[in-house]
Amino acid sequence: MSESPLLEVSDLTIEYRRGIHRVTAVSDVNFTIRAGRTLGLVGESGSGKTTIGRAILGLVPISAGRILFDGQDVSADAHRRRRREPGQIRAIFQDPYSSLNPSLPVAVSVAEEVPRSRRVRSEAFARLSDLFDRVGLPRAVAASYPARLSGGQRQRVAIARALMSDPSLIICDEPVSALDVSVQAQVLNVLKDAQRANSLSYCFIGHDLDVVRYMSDWIVVLYRGRVLEDGPAQTVARRPRHPYTQALVAASPELDRPAQPRPVRDPRPEPPRGGGCPFAPRCGFAEDRCWVELPPVHPAADGGHVACHRYDAAADTTAGVLL
Ligand SMILES: Nc1ncnc2c1ncn2[C@@H]1O[C@H](COP(=O)(O)OP(=O)(O)OP(=O)(O)O)[C@@H](O)[C@H]1O
Ligand SMILES: [Mg+2]
């Protein structure tokens, strides 16, 4: 029916150790990314977005589940060895300062990403010039140091750097969150153009549902490390099925959307007891069972999922709604 996914994340659970305690940052997360497509990860601060991105990059050990990239298990060690080879996974972060060496002209940082097999100087230089054109950077910028560039220019350099080694997947972790709104759209469009030209896949991480919807084919909504809802981007952003996503949509003023009845309320002081829904303390619809039973993950007719006790797939007409 359809080709196998480029990236397959199954039952992913990640725990961090904090002193003698273990903090579960990600629980039972499932999604796939197909070649040339964008998967959006959205959720508030601390929901586990960066942790998932770092696990895909092989930078965080996995506690349970697995990540298959191009059919191969992504374990921290195996992956690190192959990082700069063509077709691999690269990353773009919110703050390009952290990935660009401040004491080197940006061209040097970008050229360092050329795969070993290609490191013939003239070829690298031609490729650098071509990439600067493609991300909309004047070639004169190549000799500049990162501090001399604007935030938007630095993020374009970071994109050029990520593209240099011909990756097939780029983890974009809040790549425009630190930029002025006027510059955000330009940088998002540079990413979109690069995707079209290279059949690239993105895992696009953001907290603004509107930005994530603009970039994504499929959206995964995270809350305290759990997937509360996923589905086609337009459905999740315009006809959210989970009360938490409804709250996110309500917080995103630019979307035209039907009014939603009281999806959130002030949190109750106590957390859910005995493994209830993580969102129960803030949910305006919470019933007794929501406090004690983790909701099942209900499949929706359009391939999405909703982890909510109140969701009734048979009564859901969302998938049939023309968006
Ligand atoms: N290195 C670490 N050690 C211990 N706990 C961590 C570590 N990194 C993240 N965490 C915890 O894991 C959880 C998820 O964090 P993560 O950074 O993945 O969230 P996020 O969704 O990217 O948030 P933000 O929107 O603020 O970037 C949080 O509770 C965070 O405190
Ligand atoms: Mg983060």
Side-chain angles (χ1 to χ4, degrees), residues 2 28 65 76 86 111 116 131 153 157-159 179 186 201 206 208 233 243 307:
S2 53
D28 286 325
R116 265 179 223 295
L131 274 177
Q153 282 178 323
V157 169
I159 295 169
L179 301 177
Q186 296 167 13
S201 300
D208 180 334

Side-chain angles (χ1 to χ4, degrees), residues 20-45:
I20 55 162
H21 301 288
R22 282 172 182 272
V23 180
T24 306
V26 173
S27 300
D28 286 325
V29 168
N30 289 281
F31 60 81
T32 58
I33 308 181
R34 297 194 178 281
R37 297 302 179 101
T38 299
L39 176 118
L41 284 181
V42 71
E44 62 196 37
S45 186

Side-chain angles (χ1 to χ4, degrees), residues 49-51 173-174 205:
K49 307 179 296 293
T50 295
T51 300
D173 191 349
E174 310 245 13
I205 294 171

Side-chain angles (χ1 to χ4, degrees), residues 41 47 59 67 74 88 92 102 131 136 153-154 194 196 201 215 233 253 264 267:
L41 284 181
S47 56
L59 300 174
I67 302 176
V74 174
Q88 294 300 302
I92 300 166
L131 274 177
Q153 282 178 323
R154 270 198 296 272
R196 270 191 289 272
S201 300
M215 294 303 290
V264 259

